[in-house]
């Protein structure tokens, strides 16, 4: 289903809202729990799930995702388990966008041709590899194109507009706009220049713009949905699972946040 | 081959946020490395501050003991701060100044690169923060104290395996958030382009001097040049002087730890597979899932699961060849050099020495074998003591 991502953003547009993208660290706190978390995120209103495949050396991630990855690996989660889980989620939720989110070594190690064929077969919509900038994307993109998978690029506030234009011109699916120069992790407020920057990006691409890194509250989601096409939440939705309370309590806390975010992205003021 | 790759190796596998910083670094580096005033400034510091050139020393008693090739030592251990690391740290710190950066950050394992960076920061009036795995901080206390005396702030890294690779992860994270005013001084010929090129350039002074000294002292080139390889900066530095001499065999010696077959080692080329870590594609120690493995070596400076991408390229093309020496062999060489020549070598360099000792006899006494003695061994006294206790030897 090549058009799934497009359809999601079309629907959001019709519903006059931004899309909600939720990152989950697969295998954290263990595989079945993470499956329940994804299930709950979808029910709570996530339009797209980023399936985070843990890597031993997550150099673009802040403390929360680092710890989640480490715990997942200690629990022995393997890539094949995650792919099997993705397949189950896809069968249950044919309309939810699914993006595989990882570091390049994990993908390279599996074999790029084999992996992209497998992902297409499962019904994954795209790949986001945080350590693949524009200059290195070709070796993976060839196979993504072959299988009609989106290779989601990142742009950062550090990216000059001219370079951003090159990046988006070769992209499909959506553009991931990193709200801050730094690593993933919940922050308490948005940088003041964010809106202006996203507006500039709008002038160079028709593709939907998703804003992530740091989103931790309904208020922030509300602000972002005012000028962007999607809001991404990651660390903030994982944080509750580090509390030493029963899993059900953590899950409720996390899904409460996702519900709140979903409510706020619905409040988009401008179309 | 593009400018940023060595065959399939190298590249710039980093977050988009860092790409503009890497472009800026490359353009400043290209400009400065060709500028006479930069060269002059660097050469002056290398001469009068670092103490270059370092001697090329004919190890007569060691040669006699081994029987065979005449063994010459490039005495990088005599540099200020006790190892070759300072050559690169000073060079990069000067670049940081040219870029108007206020702060240096660095990763360190054994602490030698950390000390070198802290030294360069003090010299040039820059702030300095050094990332070090919590386990390495325990193992390398004296170097931690040296860095603190020099005014550097030490950041203990408690994530992952709490060693060098995790220190590098954390340095990259902090750099991603602060590249506007912070310069990341990478200590080896790894990391994203242009770092492997920059570090090679600053370390190539070793090879240039060694080649000239060898010709001056002996009238000929060595048959073989031997250096230890963790990330591989001292090896790349000395190889650089002999790259165009097809008669000279270049040998990199990796850390075999308890032996490749035990899995307890740090030999990325001899015991690893191609992957991507810390910004470059290269040989890595990784499991079947592509997760990076913990490494094992008596020498903290070789305890890294990757290797500089150009070494991977050299290994594939046969430009250099790579061998392994285990902990035991390195410790034996450590004592042998100490007792025959009165030089206590770093455990890292002891790997290269052990290889030379093992193979010197296959050459005639007219032949020359050149070993890069990349650092001094004072920092390793406790590691060697522990090893001897564990292995129940005198």
């Amino acid at each position: 289903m090549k058009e799934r991502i497009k359809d999601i953003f079309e629907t959001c547009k019709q519903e006059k809202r931004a899309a909600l993208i939720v990152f989950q660290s697969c295998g954290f706190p263990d595989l079945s729990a993470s499956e329940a978390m994804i299930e709950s995120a979808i029910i709570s209103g996530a339009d797209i799930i980023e399936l985070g495949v843990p890597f031993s050396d997550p150099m673009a991630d802040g403390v929360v995702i680092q710890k989640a990855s480490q715990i997942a690996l200690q629990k022995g989660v393997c890539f094949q388990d995650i792919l099997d889980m993705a397949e189950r989620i896809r069968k249950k939720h044919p309309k939810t966008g699914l993006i595989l989110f990882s570091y390049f070594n994990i993908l390279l190690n599996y074999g790029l041709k084999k992996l992209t064929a497998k992902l297409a077969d499962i019904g994954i919509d795209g790949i986001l590899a945080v350590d693949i900038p524009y200059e290195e994307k070709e070796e993976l993109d060839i196979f993504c194109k072959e299988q009609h998978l989106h290779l989601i690029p990142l742009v950062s506030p550090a990216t000059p507009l001219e370079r951003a234009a090159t990046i988006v011109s070769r992209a499909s699916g959506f553009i991931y706009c990193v709200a801050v120069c730094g690593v993933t992790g919940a922050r308490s407020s948005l940088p003041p220049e964010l809106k202006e920057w996203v507006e500039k990006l709008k002038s160079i691409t028709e593709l939907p713009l998703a804003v992530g890194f740091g989103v931790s509250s309904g208020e922030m989601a509300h602000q972002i949905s005012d000028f962007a096409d999607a809001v991404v939440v990651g660390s903030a939705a994982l944080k509750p699972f580090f509390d030493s309370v029963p899993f059900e309590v953590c899950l409720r806390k996390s899904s409460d946040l996702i519900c709140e975010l979903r409510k706020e992205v619905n409040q988009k003021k401008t179309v | 081959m593009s400018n940023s790759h060595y065959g399939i190796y190298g590249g710039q596998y980093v977050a988009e946020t860092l790409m503009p910083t890497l472009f800026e670094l490359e353009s400043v580096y290209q400009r400065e490395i060709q500028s006479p005033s930069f060269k002059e400034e660097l050469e002056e510091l290398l001469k009068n501050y670092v103490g270059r050139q370092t001697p090329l020393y004919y190890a007569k008693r060691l040669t006699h003991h081994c029987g065979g090739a005449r063994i010459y030592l490039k005495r990088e251990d005599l540099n200020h701060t006790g190892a070759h690391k300072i050559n690169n740290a000073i060079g990069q710190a000067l670049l940081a100044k040219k870029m108007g950066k206020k702060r240096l950050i660095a990763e360190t394992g054994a602490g030698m690169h950390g000390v070198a960076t802290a030294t360069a920061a003090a010299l040039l009036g820059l702030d300095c923060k050094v990332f070090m795995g919590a386990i390495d901080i325990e193992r390398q206390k004296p170097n931690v104290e040296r860095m603190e005396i020099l005014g550097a702030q030490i950041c203990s890294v408690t994530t992952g395996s709490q060693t060098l690779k995790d220190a590098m992860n954390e340095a990259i994270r902090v750099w991603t958030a602060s590249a506007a005013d912070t310069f990341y001084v990478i200590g080896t010929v790894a990391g994203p382009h242009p770092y492997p090129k920059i570090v090679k350039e600053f370390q190539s002074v070793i090879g240039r001097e060694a080649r000239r000294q060898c010709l001056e002292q002996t009238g000929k080139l060595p048959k073989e040049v031997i250096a230890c390889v963790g990330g591989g900066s001292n090896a790349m530095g000395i190889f650089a002087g002999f790259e165009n001499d097809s008669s000279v065999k270049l040998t990199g010696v990796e850390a075999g730890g308890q032996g490749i077959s035990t899995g307890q080692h740090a030999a990325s080329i001899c015991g690893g597979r191609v992957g991507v870590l810390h910004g470059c594609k290269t040989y890595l120690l990784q499991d079947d899932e592509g997760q990076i493995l913990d490494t094992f070596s008596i020498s903290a400076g070789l305890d890294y699961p990757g290797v500089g991408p150009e070494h991977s390229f050299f290994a594939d093309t046969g430009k250099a060849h790579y061998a392994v020496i285990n902990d035991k062999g390195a410790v034996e060489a450590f004592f042998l050099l100490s007792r025959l020549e009165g030089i206590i070598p770093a455990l890292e360099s002891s790997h290269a020495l052990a290889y030379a000792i093992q193979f010197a006899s296959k050459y005639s006494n007219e032949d020359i074998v050149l070993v890069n003695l990349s650092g001094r061994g004072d920092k390793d006294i406790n590691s060697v003591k522990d090893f001897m206790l564990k292995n129940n030897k005198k």
Side-chain angles (χ1 to χ4, degrees), chain B residues 193-249:
Chain B
H193 170 78
Y195 278 99
K197 279 203 163 58
I198 292 177
V199 178
K200 180 183 187 178
E201 171 64 32
F202 289 141
Q203 292 295 2
S204 65
V205 63
I206 305 173
R208 275 197 306 277
E209 284 179 9
R211 187 178 191 279
R212 194 186 62 235
Q213 289 168 315
C214 191
L215 286 172
E216 278 167 10
Q217 289 180 28
T218 71
K220 56 185 163 190
L221 289 172
K223 286 280 178 193
E224 189 168 355
V225 173
I226 302 165
C228 64
V229 175
S233 69
N234 89 82
M236 197 49 80
I238 199 160
F239 288 177
F242 301 91
E243 256 184 278
N244 300 319
D245 300 313
S246 57
S247 67
V248 180
K249 184 179 177 191

Side-chain angles (χ1 to χ4, degrees), chain A residues 150-163:
Chain A
H150 303 295
L151 182 57
I152 307 296
L154 292 112
V155 291
S156 144
T159 312
L161 199 63
E162 201 180 322
R163 175 176 168 78

Side-chain angles (χ1 to χ4, degrees), chain A residues 187-201:
Chain A
R187 290 165 176 87
S188 55
S189 64
L190 296 171
E193 59 285 353
L194 182 64
K195 180 177 176 176
E196 196 189 328
W197 174 57
V198 175
E199 299 286 355
K200 271 190 204 152
L201 293 174

Side-chain angles (χ1 to χ4, degrees), chain B residues 146-214:
Chain B
R146 286 170 81 192
M147 287 184 271
E148 281 169 347
I149 289 169
L150 289 160
Q153 188 194 347
I154 311 298
C155 178
S156 172
V157 178
T158 55
T159 50
S161 61
Q162 308 186 23
T163 57
L164 179 55
K165 79 175 175 75
D166 309 283
M168 195 152 177
N169 290 335
E170 197 54 27
I172 292 172
R173 288 181 193 117
V174 168
W175 186 37
T176 308
S178 62
D181 69 349
T182 297
F183 188 102
Y184 181 19
V185 182
I186 294 185
T188 192
V189 283
H193 170 78
Y195 278 99
K197 279 203 163 58
I198 292 177
V199 178
K200 180 183 187 178
E201 171 64 32
F202 289 141
Q203 292 295 2
S204 65
V205 63
I206 305 173
R208 275 197 306 277
E209 284 179 9
R211 187 178 191 279
R212 194 186 62 235
Q213 289 168 315
C214 191

